[in-house]
Amino acid sequence: MVKNKISKKFDVVQQMPPLYHKITNEEYDNKKSQVIEFLSKDEDGALNWLFRYIEQKGLIVYDPETGKWHGKDYGL
């Protein structure tokens, strides 16, 4: 097995079993996505890696006054 060169965080993702992202004959719903559920439960932190990646790209911004995150263009 070839390891992902981007990050070891994706080793678990590369071994993900077959899962639905959209349930057949239903409207898409994040809450029903088996893929998102899998990523959120990944103990190696694939979802956290994605969060940090979009943070580093400047797509989301932390507001220390409120303690909340928002999109860089929010409120423009």
Side-chain angles (χ1 to χ4, degrees):
M1 177 174 80
V2 176
K3 296 288 182 177
N4 189 305
K5 295 178 184 177
I6 296 172
S7 172
K8 288 186 177 186
K9 301 292 182 199
F10 290 111
D11 290 348
V12 171
V13 176
Q14 290 179 169
Q15 294 297 314
M16 180 179 78
L19 300 170
Y20 287 104
H21 185 55
K22 178 189 174 294
I23 306 300
T24 306
N25 299 324
E26 291 188 23
E27 299 242 349
Y28 175 74
D29 183 348
N30 281 337
K31 296 173 188 154
K32 293 182 180 180
S33 170
Q34 296 173 343
V35 174
I36 291 176
E37 180 180 2
F38 177 87
L39 293 174
S40 70
K41 291 181 178 180
D42 171 28
E43 293 178 7
D44 290 326
L47 195 57
N48 189 50
W49 184 92
L50 178 60
F51 177 83
R52 295 295 171 208
Y53 177 81
I54 61 175
E55 174 194 11
Q56 290 172 1
K57 293 296 181 183
L59 301 173
I60 57 174
V61 180
Y62 179 72
D63 182 344
E65 289 183 23
T66 65
K68 296 180 181 180
W69 292 86
H70 61 83
K72 74 175 183 109
D73 295 337
Y74 179 79
L76 294 181

